[in-house]
Amino acid sequence: MSDTLILAHRRDVFRFTARFLGYTLLAVLLAVWSGPIVLVLITSIKSNQDFLAGPFSIPSHPTFQPYIDVWNSLGFSGLLANSFLYATAGSALAVILALVPAFALSRMEVPGKTFIFGLILTGLMLPQQTVLIPLYDTLRTLHLLDTKIGLIIVHAAYGMPAQILILRGFMTSIPREIEKAAYVEGATDFRVFYKIILPLSLPGIVVGFTLNFIAIWKEFVFGLVLLNSEENFPVTVGMLKLNSDRYMAVFNLPAAGLVISQIPIIVLFILTYRKIASGNFAGAVKG
Amino acid sequence: MSTSHRSGESPGFFAFAREHTFVTIFGIVMPLAVFAVFVGYPILFTIYLSLFEWNGMTPDKTFVGLENYRHMIGDSHFQIALINNFKWLAVTLAFPVLAGLLIAYALRNKILPAPALVRTIIFFPVTMSLISVGLMFLLILNPLFGAFDTILRSVGLGFLVTEWFGNYKVAIYTLAIVSGWAFTGMPMIFYYAGLGDVPKETFDAARIEGAGHWRMLTKVAVPQLRPVTAVVVMLTLFESLRAFDLVAVMTKGAPFGYTNVLGYIVYLESFWNTRFGYGAAISVAILAVSALMALIILKKLMKGAFDV
């Protein structure tokens, strides 16, 4: 009797310790990963006087003035519109380019499959900076340097390999019985692709498009090198200006600026988080 | 070694192409063409250009042989940048990859309360541009108004405070840790998915034998996660070779080039100093380093990770 009591007691102590450790760990993770974001959010609604009260001061007069100021002086409407165009058009093109290759690599005995797959991985892993010079040169020859269409093409081309991998992962999981029946009835590859595989791959297309959208939204190097005019800049390149004495004098402006730059992604994140964070794309790489 | 005999692919390919024209054109030829234009040609052109001196504007290039490479080996900026890339890689392997693994393990084994919240807040920075991340930590780590130094001082660690971006010994680690902060969600998600694939019985068996979390992690989880680790290490390698955005927004290589990384030097030499030939030579060095490291990873870790 007393033995079981002691055991039960020890189990309670153990459980309590485990739970305490769990909460401590949670507190540390929250502090490290959301602390900086929370601080920036608070800073972004501070007036200049509130800012001088220190990084942890609670804003006494919360204001959206920093947002208005940084929006106007940095020209955020143009920057956001550009980034939106690059991310939408670039991702759409990348997905379209990737659909049939993913179909071929997932469901057909393509000769030289391993070789093609190796090339795709090379394209995926290629460090961007190593192709800057030739890209710059090629785009200049084609009179596409410092144009929106030029940057869209570049984004689409470098987005394609990842899209092939992601879509291939999805298409591999589609049961083969359906298309076998279609082939028996004499359907062409195109019909099978268009009528069966494409509709069933829609969730994969959504995930692939979203990931590509975020990747282009984050992208900086291509925009920096392949564009010169401010009216073509995406958000990332335009924001570089925020690290200057003019904006860094009081932190509420850069803080507001970087909140603005993230808002479209937050919206997308909320809409598609479950699909992306479920690790589906991790599975796509493993195949 | 006759062509028709060698692979069995050439005749097979044409037979395939006749039977599957649509797939051949849009599924094989088209992506290969994109690859040729955007990967193959740029690599070859970069190697070619690395043997020349070129200002990038005029059409005439001067052939200089291996002079660019000779210059590169003696260039202290190049040496610092190369070492910085390796420091960056080391930090990225030590901090975000390890943290990602531990957090994923804690999530899967219900050690952490509020798992959905943890996953969200740690994955969120992955969606931020490194420009935004860089700006954010410029504010947090600012020597005058920054929150971080204030925290250190208030918990009695004020002696650690330094110029996070001004101290030439520290600055590159500051950048690498900031990049790690933004990257941790990636390995976490990969490991989280990987741990989900490990059969539950494997863990249960270990638990029945009385294994604690440490033994479960090192003896069960890590070996089972080998293919995932291969992918994660690969991603980490290329993430650290890409280290560019943070340098561009946070330090621009300062102080005195001590935070330069290879990618940033390519940009500086090519587009600021208009020494495109030299920039191309450094690009070739990046390619060589990344190809070499990728090969090592493939050989050591990759068994089965990218099975077609």
Side-chain angles (χ1 to χ4, degrees), chain B residues 138-172:
Chain B
L138 279 177
L139 306 184
I140 305 272
L141 297 171
N142 183 281
L144 290 177
F145 306 111
F148 189 64
D149 291 356
T150 315
I151 294 174
L152 280 186
R153 289 200 181 93
S154 70
V155 296
L157 292 171
F159 61 92
L160 288 175
V161 170
T162 179
E163 292 259 347
W164 301 111
F165 304 104
N167 183 334
Y168 75 96
K169 282 183 183 153
V170 173
I172 187 68

Coordinates of all heavy atoms in Angstrom, one line a residue, chain B residues 138-172:
Chain B
L138 N 19.5 44.6 -36.8 CA 20.2 45.9 -36.7 C 19.6 46.7 -35.6 O 20.3 47.4 -34.8 CB 20.2 46.7 -38.0 CG 21.2 46.3 -39.1 CD1 20.9 47.1 -40.3 CD2 22.6 46.5 -38.6
L139 N 18.3 46.7 -35.5 CA 17.6 47.4 -34.4 C 17.8 46.8 -33.1 O 18.1 47.5 -32.1 CB 16.1 47.5 -34.7 CG 15.6 48.1 -36.1 CD1 14.1 48.1 -36.1 CD2 16.2 49.4 -36.3
I140 N 17.7 45.5 -33.0 CA 17.8 44.7 -31.7 C 19.2 44.8 -31.2 O 19.4 44.9 -30.0 CB 17.4 43.3 -31.9 CG1 16.0 43.1 -32.6 CG2 17.5 42.5 -30.6 CD1 14.9 43.1 -31.7
L141 N 20.2 44.8 -32.1 CA 21.6 44.7 -31.6 C 22.3 46.1 -31.6 O 23.5 46.1 -31.5 CB 22.4 43.7 -32.5 CG 21.9 42.2 -32.4 CD1 22.6 41.4 -33.5 CD2 22.1 41.7 -31.0
N142 N 21.5 47.1 -31.9 CA 22.1 48.4 -31.9 C 22.7 48.8 -30.6 O 22.2 48.5 -29.5 CB 21.0 49.5 -32.2 CG 21.5 50.9 -32.4 OD1 21.8 51.5 -31.4 ND2 21.7 51.3 -33.6
P143 N 24.0 49.3 -30.6 CA 24.7 49.6 -29.4 C 24.1 50.7 -28.5 O 24.2 50.7 -27.3 CB 26.1 50.0 -29.9 CG 26.0 50.3 -31.3 CD 24.8 49.6 -31.8
L144 N 23.3 51.6 -29.1 CA 22.7 52.7 -28.3 C 21.3 52.3 -27.8 O 21.0 52.5 -26.7 CB 22.7 54.0 -29.1 CG 24.0 54.6 -29.4 CD1 23.9 55.8 -30.3 CD2 24.7 55.0 -28.1
F145 N 20.4 51.9 -28.8 CA 19.0 51.7 -28.5 C 18.6 50.3 -28.5 O 17.4 50.0 -28.4 CB 18.2 52.6 -29.4 CG 18.6 54.0 -29.5 CD1 19.2 54.5 -30.6 CD2 18.3 54.8 -28.4 CE1 19.5 55.9 -30.7 CE2 18.7 56.2 -28.5 CZ 19.3 56.7 -29.6
G146 N 19.5 49.4 -28.7 CA 19.1 48.0 -28.9 C 18.6 47.3 -27.7 O 19.1 47.6 -26.6
A147 N 17.7 46.3 -27.9 CA 17.1 45.6 -26.7 C 18.1 44.6 -26.2 O 18.1 44.3 -25.0 CB 15.8 44.9 -27.2
F148 N 18.9 44.0 -27.0 CA 19.7 42.9 -26.6 C 20.8 43.3 -25.6 O 20.9 42.6 -24.5 CB 20.5 42.3 -27.9 CG 21.2 41.0 -27.6 CD1 20.4 39.9 -27.2 CD2 22.5 40.9 -27.7 CE1 21.1 38.7 -26.9 CE2 23.2 39.7 -27.4 CZ 22.5 38.6 -27.0
D149 N 21.5 44.3 -25.8 CA 22.4 44.8 -24.8 C 21.8 45.2 -23.5 O 22.3 44.9 -22.4 CB 23.2 46.0 -25.3 CG 24.1 45.6 -26.5 OD1 24.2 44.4 -26.8 OD2 24.8 46.5 -27.1
T150 N 20.6 45.7 -23.6 CA 19.8 46.1 -22.4 C 19.5 44.8 -21.5 O 19.7 44.8 -20.3 CB 18.5 46.8 -22.7 OG1 18.8 47.7 -23.7 CG2 17.9 47.4 -21.5
I151 N 19.1 43.8 -22.3 CA 18.8 42.5 -21.6 C 20.1 41.9 -20.9 O 20.1 41.6 -19.7 CB 18.2 41.5 -22.5 CG1 16.9 41.9 -23.1 CG2 18.1 40.1 -21.9 CD1 16.3 41.0 -24.1
L152 N 21.2 41.9 -21.7 CA 22.4 41.4 -21.1 C 22.8 42.1 -19.9 O 23.2 41.5 -18.9 CB 23.6 41.5 -22.2 CG 23.6 40.4 -23.3 CD1 24.9 40.6 -24.1 CD2 23.6 39.0 -22.7
R153 N 22.7 43.4 -19.9 CA 23.2 44.2 -18.7 C 22.2 43.9 -17.6 O 22.7 43.8 -16.4 CB 23.1 45.7 -19.1 CG 24.3 46.1 -20.0 CD 24.6 47.6 -20.0 NE 25.6 47.9 -20.9 CZ 25.4 48.3 -22.2 NH1 24.2 48.4 -22.6 NH2 26.4 48.5 -23.0
S154 N 20.9 43.8 -17.8 CA 20.0 43.6 -16.7 C 20.1 42.3 -16.1 O 19.7 42.1 -14.9 CB 18.6 43.9 -17.2 OG 18.2 42.8 -18.0
V155 N 20.7 41.3 -16.7 CA 20.9 40.0 -16.1 C 22.3 39.8 -15.6 O 22.7 38.7 -15.4 CB 20.4 38.8 -17.0 CG1 18.9 38.9 -17.3 CG2 21.2 38.8 -18.3
G156 N 23.1 40.9 -15.6 CA 24.4 40.8 -15.1 C 25.4 40.3 -16.1 O 26.5 39.8 -15.7
L157 N 25.1 40.2 -17.3 CA 26.1 39.8 -18.3 C 26.6 40.9 -19.2 O 27.0 40.7 -20.3 CB 25.4 38.7 -19.3 CG 25.0 37.4 -18.6 CD1 24.2 36.5 -19.5 CD2 26.3 36.6 -18.2
G158 N 26.5 42.1 -18.6 CA 27.0 43.3 -19.3 C 28.4 43.2 -19.9 O 28.7 43.9 -20.9
F159 N 29.2 42.4 -19.2 CA 30.6 42.3 -19.7 C 30.7 41.7 -21.0 O 31.7 41.8 -21.7 CB 31.5 41.5 -18.7 CG 31.0 40.1 -18.5 CD1 31.5 39.1 -19.2 CD2 30.0 39.8 -17.5 CE1 31.1 37.8 -19.1 CE2 29.6 38.5 -17.4 CZ 30.1 37.5 -18.2
L160 N 29.6 41.0 -21.5 CA 29.7 40.4 -22.8 C 29.4 41.4 -23.9 O 29.6 41.1 -25.1 CB 28.6 39.3 -22.8 CG 28.9 38.0 -22.1 CD1 27.7 37.0 -22.1 CD2 30.1 37.3 -22.6
V161 N 28.8 42.5 -23.5 CA 28.3 43.4 -24.6 C 29.5 43.9 -25.4 O 30.6 44.2 -24.8 CB 27.6 44.7 -23.9 CG1 27.4 45.8 -24.9 CG2 26.3 44.2 -23.3
T162 N 29.3 43.9 -26.7 CA 30.4 44.4 -27.6 C 29.7 45.0 -28.7 O 28.5 45.1 -28.8 CB 31.3 43.2 -28.0 OG1 32.3 43.7 -28.9 CG2 30.5 42.1 -28.8
E163 N 30.5 45.6 -29.6 CA 30.0 46.1 -30.9 C 29.7 44.9 -31.8 O 30.6 44.4 -32.4 CB 31.0 47.1 -31.5 CG 31.2 48.3 -30.8 CD 30.5 49.5 -31.4 OE1 30.0 49.3 -32.5 OE2 30.4 50.5 -30.7
W164 N 28.5 44.5 -31.8 CA 28.1 43.2 -32.5 C 28.5 43.3 -34.0 O 28.8 42.2 -34.6 CB 26.7 42.9 -32.3 CG 26.3 42.7 -30.9 CD1 25.5 43.6 -30.1 CD2 26.7 41.7 -30.0 NE1 25.4 43.1 -28.8 CE2 26.2 42.0 -28.7 CE3 27.6 40.6 -30.1 CZ2 26.4 41.2 -27.6 CZ3 27.8 39.8 -29.0 CH2 27.2 40.1 -27.7
F165 N 28.5 44.4 -34.5 CA 28.8 44.6 -36.0 C 30.2 45.3 -36.2 O 30.7 45.3 -37.2 CB 27.8 45.3 -36.7 CG 26.4 44.7 -36.6 CD1 25.5 45.3 -35.8 CD2 26.1 43.5 -37.3 CE1 24.2 44.7 -35.6 CE2 24.9 42.9 -37.1 CZ 23.9 43.5 -36.3
G166 N 30.7 45.9 -35.1 CA 31.9 46.7 -35.3 C 33.1 45.9 -34.9 O 34.2 46.1 -35.4
N167 N 33.0 44.9 -34.0 CA 34.1 44.1 -33.5 C 34.5 43.1 -34.6 O 33.7 42.2 -34.9 CB 33.7 43.4 -32.2 CG 34.9 42.6 -31.6 OD1 35.8 42.2 -32.3 ND2 34.8 42.5 -30.3
Y168 N 35.7 43.3 -35.2 CA 36.0 42.4 -36.4 C 36.1 41.0 -36.1 O 35.9 40.1 -36.9 CB 37.2 43.0 -37.0 CG 38.5 42.6 -36.3 CD1 39.3 41.5 -36.7 CD2 39.0 43.4 -35.3 CE1 40.4 41.1 -36.1 CE2 40.2 43.1 -34.6 CZ 40.9 41.9 -35.0 OH 42.0 41.6 -34.4
K169 N 36.3 40.6 -34.8 CA 36.4 39.2 -34.4 C 35.0 38.6 -34.3 O 34.8 37.4 -34.4 CB 37.1 39.0 -33.1 CG 38.6 39.2 -33.2 CD 39.3 38.9 -31.9 CE 40.8 39.1 -32.0 NZ 41.3 39.5 -30.7
V170 N 34.0 39.4 -34.0 CA 32.7 38.9 -33.6 C 31.7 39.1 -34.8 O 30.8 38.2 -34.9 CB 32.2 39.7 -32.4 CG1 30.7 39.4 -32.1 CG2 33.1 39.5 -31.2
A171 N 31.9 40.1 -35.6 CA 30.8 40.5 -36.5 C 30.3 39.3 -37.4 O 29.1 39.2 -37.6 CB 31.3 41.6 -37.4
I172 N 31.2 38.5 -38.0 CA 30.8 37.5 -38.9 C 29.9 36.4 -38.1 O 29.0 35.9 -38.7 CB 32.0 36.8 -39.6 CG1 31.5 35.8 -40.6 CG2 32.9 36.0 -38.6 CD1 30.9 36.4 -41.8

